[in-house]
Amino acid sequence: MQQVTIEDIRAAADRIRGSVLRTPLIPAGWGDPERPLWIKPESLQAVGAFKVRGAFNAIAALDDDTRARGVVAYSSGNHAQAVAYAASRWGIAAHIVMPEETPNVKVAATREWGATVVLCGAGERERVAARLVTETGGVLIPPFDHPDVIAGQGTIGLEIAEDLPDVETVLIPVSGGGLASGIGTALRALCPRARVIGVEPELAADTAEALRVGHRVDWPIQDRNRTIADGLRSQPSELTFDHLRRVLDDLITVSENDIRAASRELALRAHLVAEPSGAVALAAYRSTATPRGRTVIVLSGGNVEPALMAEILVG
């Protein structure tokens, strides 16, 4: 199984430079004085989420003839938008499979980038995407189960290490595991003393259970769909789970109420829009499970339905 290396991540940084935003590391003066807080706001990317890094790297790594055939992806939303955006920048076709329960704001945004969106039932997206690959001749860009995607997400870790080399704790949302795999790989190489901690919703905590028992576990999609954090309903692949076992020091689970409170706090205190999936790292920071020391939270995305954001703000 191919492990992503720091050299892969540095190569990804070279490929995507100029195509994605190098997001700032924002100090949050309202954090706990014993745990000075910085925010890595990937919500500021052109598509509102970190996924654009992996999408650009994976497409840029293709040879010209393969890339010209177009791309296929499946996603609950942010990877869909990222692939659609990257494909539009490269001038190639994109067919994106999205579950029917995906928030409308994410479906509409994917279409706005010129992609053809195919909606499917719960748990059907991989099968439908495979059919589209056969029909269109496009190459599949999976949301996390690919070394080039993981390496692209890992560029966030490079930036954290450059901006705060003495970081002590980094809190990262976990779903399919590509984000934490990439960031964790970079930090293990560049900031080996830093604690790398994943965060999951309690209602979709399959990775937490898998790490406890030492192998991947399967939670029914109906169970994972209970969480408000719609971007954290996937499960790790063999590739990402292998990385997570190697790079994570711990994994914290957070409640639905804590996720809502964190999203509200980011809006009111940091003036940043965070979708529930993007707010889980702050929810973990607010828990007693997080150690002291200089802490970075990865705000992974800000694509949230306006009505849900209004409900969260009211509390």
Side-chain angles (χ1 to χ4, degrees), residues 30 38 45 49 83 89 122 141 178 199 285:
W30 40 268
W38 285 261
Q45 296 290 353
V83 172
R89 290 284 299 271
I141 307 294
V199 187
Y285 172 83

Side-chain angles (χ1 to χ4, degrees), residues 30 261-272 309 312-314:
W30 40 268
S263 186
R264 183 166 57 249
E265 182 177 355
L266 284 163
L268 299 179
R269 300 300 299 273
H271 312 295
L272 291 167
M309 192 72 239
I312 288 171
L313 289 174
V314 172

Side-chain angles (χ1 to χ4, degrees), residues 153-182:
Q153 321 306 22
T155 59
I156 297 171
L158 283 185
E159 294 171 12
I160 292 172
E162 291 170 358
D163 292 347
L164 192 67
D166 57 353
V167 63
E168 294 173 272
T169 302
V170 180
L171 296 164
I172 311 165
V174 172
S175 181
L179 178 63
S181 294

Side-chain angles (χ1 to χ4, degrees), residues 152-226:
Q153 321 306 22
T155 59
I156 297 171
L158 283 185
E159 294 171 12
I160 292 172
E162 291 170 358
D163 292 347
L164 192 67
D166 57 353
V167 63
E168 294 173 272
T169 302
V170 180
L171 296 164
I172 311 165
V174 172
S175 181
L179 178 63
S181 294
I183 294 176
T185 297
L187 293 174
R188 282 282 169 259
L190 303 175
C191 302
R193 296 183 180 179
R195 294 174 292 263
V196 181
I197 300 176
V199 187
E200 276 187 314
E202 291 175 353
L203 296 183
D206 53 284
T207 304
E209 180 182 343
L211 291 172
R212 283 196 302 271
V213 301
H215 59 80
R216 289 191 301 152
V217 298
D218 182 31
W219 282 33
I221 185 63
Q222 294 80 6
D223 289 349
R224 288 178 276 129
N225 277 354
R226 295 174 299 166

